[in-house]
Amino acid sequence: MGWTVLALVFLDEVLAVVALGYAWGLLAAVVGVAVWGIFASPKAPLGNAVTRPVAKVVVFGAASAGLWLAGHEVLAVALLVFSVVVNALALLPGVRALAVGATG
């Protein structure tokens, strides 16, 4: 189950970047990737117990808000719910151990 959760987390991140680009434009997608890489990724140079969740809320929130404002309310809610669920599952001890082991 752990690897499936990690795959879904990755899919969630890709969906968020696509949603940012669709709703806000290419620059927003690039900024989202940069924020993720600097603050939220497993090897983020500025990632810690505070910046990591804040960056995730900003990226997923902006992606969902953009979809909502673009008139795709159902997709916005679906992305937000999916993001919360898979990121909560990723916090389970067995999944976290896999993630730490995979990133070295």
Side-chain angles (χ1 to χ4, degrees):
M1 179 183 105
W3 289 110
T4 301
V5 171
L6 292 178
L8 290 174
V9 168
F10 178 70
L11 174 64
D12 188 37
E13 295 163 3
V14 171
L15 290 173
V17 171
V18 170
L20 285 169
Y22 173 79
W24 300 108
L26 182 60
L27 182 60
V30 171
V31 169
V33 169
V35 166
W36 198 270
I38 294 169
F39 299 105
S41 72
K43 294 185 179 182
L46 300 179
N48 59 47
V50 174
T51 61
R52 191 166 276 117
V54 168
K56 289 182 179 188
V57 167
V58 167
V59 170
F60 291 124
S64 296
L67 287 173
W68 184 278
L69 294 173
H72 300 290
E73 294 89 356
V74 173
L75 287 176
V77 172
L79 177 62
L80 194 58
V81 169
F82 181 66
S83 299
V84 169
V85 170
V86 297
N87 280 284
L89 290 173
L91 295 175
L92 294 172
V95 178
R96 287 187 68 151
L98 283 176
V100 170
T103 60

